[in-house]
Amino acid sequence: KLLLDKEGKRNMTDGVIQFIEPDDRGKMHREEFAITPGEVKVLEKLVMDVAREILDLSFWNKGCHESDCKYCELRKGMKFTQATGPNSARTKKDPGHSE
């Protein structure tokens, strides 16, 4: 929807997911749904927010706050931090710096 509308040649209002394999009972499924302007705005904001967090590395010190999250534990064990990331003052002073 986002890509089609941004292209300017199409205006998607509905979607269909046609499953190519049957369920456990052998039945094929087809799901139809409408896409509201409100849903599009929420998704656009989410995409922009995540892109900003990736570009400025602000996501790095965030976690899910689950006590047993293996991904948060992995992140904690990595040496890379915002202070040594690609947008840090240290790296900007010395573009050849790597840890």
Side-chain angles (χ1 to χ4, degrees):
K1 165 80 174 140
L2 290 179
L3 296 175
L4 289 173
D5 285 358
K6 297 293 181 195
E7 181 185 41
K9 296 180 183 177
R10 297 175 179 88
N11 181 23
M12 182 179 169
T13 57
D14 299 84
V16 176
I17 298 176
Q18 179 72 48
F19 292 87
I20 60 172
E21 293 185 8
D23 64 15
D24 293 339
R25 297 181 198 161
K27 183 179 176 186
M28 298 297 288
H29 289 275
R30 175 185 168 102
E31 299 291 332
E32 297 183 31
F33 52 94
I35 302 168
T36 67
E39 291 169 328
V40 173
K41 285 183 182 183
V42 168
L43 182 58
E44 284 176 324
K45 182 177 181 334
L46 178 62
V47 168
M48 296 303 291
D49 290 346
V50 169
R52 182 182 24 74
E53 288 180 1
I54 291 170
L55 290 172
D56 66 16
L57 297 177
S58 64
F59 71 92
W60 187 253
N61 292 319
K62 291 183 179 181
C64 69
H65 308 294
E66 299 275 333
S67 61
D68 60 344
C69 177
K70 63 183 179 182
Y71 302 108
C72 290
E73 285 302 314
L74 175 64
R75 183 192 54 79
K76 287 177 191 174
M78 298 174 76
K79 292 182 180 183
F80 181 81
T81 66
Q82 275 187 290
T84 60
N87 293 325
S88 71
R90 182 177 174 184
T91 307
K92 287 179 183 174
K93 289 178 189 173
D94 179 11
H97 173 76
S98 65
E99 291 206 2

